[in-house]
Amino acid sequence: MIALFKERLNLWKRLFQDGGNGLLQVHQIKGLIAELLVLESLIGSGKRDYLETVVGWVGPLGADQDFLFSDSAIEVKAIRLGADCVTISSLGQLDCAVPMSLVVMVLREATPEEAVAVTINSLVARIEGAIASNPEALRVFNDRLLEAFYVEHEFYDTILFEAVAQYSYSVDEAFPKISADTVSQGIVSANYAISLESIEGHKELTD
C-alpha cells in the first residue's frame, strides 16, 4: 500500500514538473482522444473481456505500440483532415513480434455546438460507464489515464474533436517502415513520415 501511494505521488508530481500547469497540450489531447476512441471500439467489439482489453492499452506505459495483446498489436496515429502522411516516431513503433495494425484516426477540431464532437472528459466517462461492472478493469483504466498525464479538468471540455474517419492498415513484411534491423549500425533512433497513398494496398477491411 505504501509503495502504491509513493508511485501515485510521483505520477502526480510529473504532471506539474518544470513549472507546468499539469494540463495536456492540444496535440497530446488529440493523440489521447484517438487512443481512447480505439479503446472504446475494442471494448464494444466484445472480442476480449474488459480487463484484458484495458490491460492491453500499454501506450501510456511507454511501450512501442499503443495496444499490445498476446496475439496482436495496434499503433494509433491521429492526423488532421486532409493530411497525406503519418509520422512514425521511433524505430520500434512498427516493429513487433505479433501481427500488428496501424490505425489512423482522422480528427477535425470541433465546437461544443456540434453533436459529433467529443472531448477527453466525455470519452473517459463513456468508457468508465461501459466497464463499470468490472472494478479491476476500471482501476487499471484509471491508472493508465494517470500514466498518460490525464486528470479530469474543465479545461478539457473546451478542446473538442470530431472523428471524421478511421483507417486500419496491416503492418506486414511489405509495409514501408524503418526498424532497428533495417538501418545502418550506429543509428539508434529515427522519426519519419509514411505516405498514406503508399500504404493504400495494406488497408484492412472493416466490418
Side-chain angles (χ1 to χ4, degrees), residues 50-73:
Y50 294 155
L51 182 58
E52 181 185 6
T53 303
V54 175
V55 168
W57 182 32
V58 293
L61 303 180
D64 285 325
Q65 289 81 41
D66 292 311
F67 294 88
L68 182 61
F69 304 102
S70 61
D71 58 352
S72 63

Side-chain angles (χ1 to χ4, degrees), residues 35 56-68 72-76 90-98 100-101:
E35 290 182 37
W57 182 32
V58 293
L61 303 180
D64 285 325
Q65 289 81 41
D66 292 311
F67 294 88
L68 182 61
S72 63
I74 302 171
E75 175 60 25
V76 182
S90 76
L91 293 174
Q93 204 157 62
L94 297 183
D95 189 15
C96 191
V98 295
M100 76 170 293
S101 299

Side-chain angles (χ1 to χ4, degrees), residues 21-31 120 155-156 159:
N21 58 12
L23 298 174
L24 297 170
Q25 298 179 34
V26 174
H27 74 277
Q28 294 172 313
I29 294 172
K30 184 177 181 180
I120 294 182
F155 167 73
Y156 295 127
I159 308 297

